[in-house]
Amino acid sequence: MGLLTGDALLSVAVAVAVFLLLLDLLHRRQRWAARYPPGPAPVPVLGNLLQLDFQDLPYSFYKLRHRFGDVFSLQLGWTPVVVLNGPSAVREALVDHSEDTSDRPSVPIYEHLGFKPHVQGVVMARYGPAWREQRRFSMSTLRNFGLGKKSLEQWVTEEAACLCATFATQDGLPFYPKALLNKAVCNVISSLVFGHRFEYDDPSLGRMLGLLEELLKEESGWMPQVLNTFPLLLHVLGLSERVFSGHIALSVLLDELVAEHRRTWDPAQPPRDLTDAFLAEIEKAKGNPASSFNQENLNAVTSDLFAAGTATTSSTLAWALLLMILHPDVQRRVQQEIDEVIGQGRRPEMADQACMPFTNAVIHEVQRFRHIGPLGTPHMVSRDTEVQGFLIPKGTTLITNLSSIMKDETVWDKPLKFYPGHFLDTKGCFVKPDAFMPFSAGPRTCLGEPLARMELFLFFTSLLQHFSFSVPEGQPQPSDHGTCGILFIPQPYQLCAVSR
Ligand code: HEM
């Protein structure tokens, strides 16, 4: 067949353009439905992609909320999206209509990376039996972790002691705390999943953390949006292998660790950790095609726990230490409370929390003021649903702008300031406003919340029990403005940890 030239080429181009425009109209038909939320006008094919700053989506959403209100719509490529802002819209959607808003959107890049009906892990699993089974399993393993030799609290307490010992080796000289916080928190997940902690200089731990960081980068910014909008690009020669090399390498590493674990697994003994408990479930589920307990899903679930449970908690701790060096008066009050309630003679315990309202308020205020997951995780509406009087059609992706709740002027006295008083009543007792929801709400709320709370309290109090933190002499005050990707993290900063 000869090459098309002249008029024929023009006709083909016009036909393709008309076809694309019709397809575009088809994808946008929701916008004309009655009571569909307002939003900025999309352009053909790209929708609103070019109107958003993917390096700082919370700020783009902040401006759009001022223009369009608490519930506004966007078109990301051909994906219809509704963004929910403020506590009442988010609660109404996630709690009052939880049955209709707990699904996750299907993500072509994950499907390309191996998602199948019974291999979805937990975080991005569709709302159905496989998700329910794995969520229940992870939660009960977290709850019953005492079934191994050590309780989860013991693991965290011992890890906090290792972290303090390593901080002490810095001899009060300036250092970047982020890498050590990451290692300590990753070790807690590793203890839960593999019953094993790594020494901080173990190259396997460094490799795992490097891949987890890679994975977060791969999911941020423009590229995933473009590939999800035009999944055909995923099949372009080696593109996805290059863009998602971190995902793939992490999966290989976890496969190796699980295989290693399997060699030492004795089904006759009580499970040592989550992997043992999962392997036992795989045995039980043999011959049951409906079960989500299988080798591939073990990899997906463990990968989810490492990814969701490491940088979230360690970045919150990094914010906490940063805010302590920027607010030495607050740091001193926390240390005073630690000295009164715990002293220097023993390690902090979870039971101390109830007697430490100020420390508890500081940790909550860190999470409010510098919330690491400003936009939560996307949900999808599985049935036409009404929120704040707007109609959100089935199939629409929901983004819960948790950052808008944490800064809502109608809830917080000083939304843009670091002010632990937000969580204290007039008598100095700890109070938690309903709008505080860093872990989201409803059936998909963070399943690691109890563990995260335990880690934040035990790591933070252990560190402040042993050290006074300060900005290194001669260095400018570090900024409390962060960098926003999938997570909102502090810019790299150094501190000095001087033994008390
Ligand atoms: C400060 C620490 C943490 C914060 C702020 C946080 C926050 C969140 C948020 C906002 C979500 C999305 C909820 C939604 O879809 O509406 C989530 C989901 C999730 N988190 Fe966390 N998280 C933290 C720590 C952890 C830890 C330590 C673990 C692991 C043990 C964990 C495991 C998960 C999982 C598995 C999900 C998915 C739940 C589901 O889809 O059913 N998170 N988290």
Side-chain angles (χ1 to χ4, degrees):
M1 200 170 70
L3 284 176
L4 293 177
T5 50
D7 287 352
L9 192 61
L10 186 68
S11 315
V12 171
V14 170
V16 170
V18 170
F19 174 72
L20 279 177
L21 280 175
L22 284 175
L23 206 60
D24 198 62
L25 284 177
L26 198 72
H27 279 97
R28 289 205 245 165
R29 65 190 187 287
Q30 272 130 318
R31 293 186 64 81
W32 295 290
R35 294 187 290 128
Y36 190 68
V43 299
V45 184
L46 292 177
N48 304 111
L49 280 177
L50 300 179
Q51 290 147 284
L52 299 173
D53 176 3
F54 282 91
Q55 304 305 324
D56 192 356
L57 277 178
Y59 186 58
S60 296
F61 289 173
Y62 166 82
K63 289 192 291 185
L64 288 168
R65 181 190 187 189
H66 273 258
R67 243 174 97 194
F68 296 105
D70 280 354
V71 183
F72 63 81
S73 63
L74 292 170
Q75 185 80 29
L76 300 186
W78 283 328
T79 309
V81 173
V82 165
V83 183
L84 303 173
N85 301 273
S88 40
V90 171
R91 237 175 231 292
E92 185 183 341
L94 299 191
V95 180
D96 301 350
H97 300 294
S98 61
E99 269 310 297
D100 305 333
T101 59
S102 292
D103 205 358
R104 298 278 192 223
S106 79
V107 182
I109 49 181
Y110 292 144
E111 277 152 28
H112 188 75
L113 291 170
F115 250 52
K116 293 178 220 156
H118 295 300
V119 184
Q120 304 190 358
V122 191
V123 179
M124 290 308 289
R126 302 298 301 266
Y127 188 56
W131 164 77
R132 205 162 281 116
E133 192 168 52
Q134 289 311 322
R135 182 165 169 113
R136 203 175 295 139
F137 169 78
S138 296
M139 289 188 70
S140 78
T141 314
L142 269 165
R143 226 183 352 255
N144 305 329
F145 196 72
L147 50 83
K149 288 199 190 80
K150 278 190 232 167
S151 72
L152 202 47
E153 182 169 346
Q154 266 173 299
W155 279 107
V156 179
T157 309
E158 284 173 23
E159 195 57 52
C162 295
L163 182 66
C164 289
T166 313
F167 269 37
T169 62
Q170 310 293 323
D171 284 334
L173 296 171
F175 70 101
Y176 291 96
K178 183 186 153 196
L180 287 175
L181 294 172
N182 249 338
K183 287 179 179 181
V185 171
C186 187
N187 261 343
V188 173
I189 301 291
S190 176
S191 313
L192 170 74
V193 172
F194 296 124
H196 166 79
R197 73 172 291 279
F198 299 88
E199 292 304 325
Y200 292 162
D201 56 3
D202 187 328
S204 305
L205 181 58
R207 181 162 161 67
M208 168 91 81
L209 286 166
L211 292 176
L212 286 169
E213 201 170 325
E214 196 72 4
L215 184 130
L216 285 179
K217 279 198 201 129
E218 285 170 6
E219 292 192 8
S220 311
W222 256 92
M223 194 48 127
Q225 287 299 336
V226 172
L227 290 176
N228 279 327
T229 307
F230 307 108
L232 268 182
L233 290 175
L234 285 163
H235 303 281
V236 170
L237 291 175
L239 183 65
S240 62
E241 282 68 20
R242 255 182 292 139
V243 178
F244 297 108
S245 57
H247 272 84
I248 296 164
L250 180 67
S251 179
V252 172
L253 179 70
L254 288 173
D255 268 343
E256 285 165 14
L257 291 170
V258 169
E260 173 92 29
H261 209 79
R262 190 182 257 286
R263 275 194 286 279
T264 56
W265 175 49
D266 179 356
Q269 295 300 318
R272 297 163 293 181
D273 44 47
L274 183 136
T275 305
D276 274 5
F278 204 107
L279 289 171
E281 292 295 336
I282 295 180
E283 289 302 311
K284 271 198 251 163
K286 274 197 171 140
N288 173 7
S291 170
S292 63
F293 287 103
N294 56 64
Q295 278 300 330
E296 284 175 277
N297 213 18
L298 170 55
N299 186 309
V301 170
T302 51
S303 167
D304 271 358
L305 292 175
F306 275 102
T310 304
T312 43
T313 313
S314 65
S315 304
T316 308
L317 286 167
W319 278 119
L321 294 187
L322 175 63
L323 291 164
M324 289 307 97
I325 62 176
L326 295 177
H327 299 271
D329 51 323
V330 175
Q331 179 176 182
R332 268 192 299 278
R333 276 190 69 186
V334 172
Q335 286 171 327
Q336 197 183 336
E337 194 173 64
I338 292 174
D339 293 347
E340 282 163 18
V341 177
I342 307 170
Q344 287 288 337
R346 66 169 176 89
R347 291 172 177 176
E349 294 163 9
M350 281 316 283
D352 296 321
Q353 198 179 29
C355 316
M356 299 176 68
F358 188 73
T359 307
N360 208 7
V362 168
I363 295 172
H364 281 72
E365 178 64 357
V366 169
Q367 284 203 280
R368 182 203 69 82
F369 180 63
R370 286 297 175 253
H371 181 227
I372 49 89
L375 302 178
T377 307
H379 287 234
M380 193 181 73
V381 177
S382 51
R383 198 168 13 184
D384 290 0
T385 303
E386 197 174 301
V387 177
Q388 306 274 294
F390 293 104
L391 189 75
I392 308 183
K394 176 181 171 174
T396 306
T397 295
L398 276 188
I399 294 183
T400 50
N401 187 358
L402 299 179
S403 127
S404 70
I405 304 174
M406 301 301 190
K407 301 280 157 47
D408 199 292
E409 291 132 11
T410 62
V411 179
W412 312 102
D413 289 343
K414 303 179 186 188
L416 302 180
K417 290 238 165 355
F418 176 65
Y419 177 62
H422 285 136
F423 295 91
L424 294 168
D425 67 11
T426 47
K427 294 192 189 113
C429 296
F430 176 75
V431 279
K432 188 161 80 171
D434 282 349
F436 179 75
M437 42 171 116
F439 298 98
S440 190
R444 296 303 290 241
T445 188
C446 174
L447 70 76
E449 176 173 351
L451 173 61
R453 298 231 138 283
M454 186 192 287
E455 290 183 88
L456 293 179
F457 180 75
L458 293 176
F459 280 124
F460 185 69
T461 46
S462 301
L463 287 169
L464 272 93
Q465 182 188 38
H466 287 99
F467 303 99
S468 289
F469 294 98
S470 55
V471 178
E473 228 178 276
Q475 286 194 19
Q477 295 264 83
S479 160
D480 68 1
H481 290 242
T483 308
C484 198
I486 288 274
L487 297 181
F488 181 56
I489 54 173
Q491 287 158 12
Y493 68 93
Q494 288 194 313
L495 49 64
C496 292
V498 176
S499 293
R500 299 181 62 212

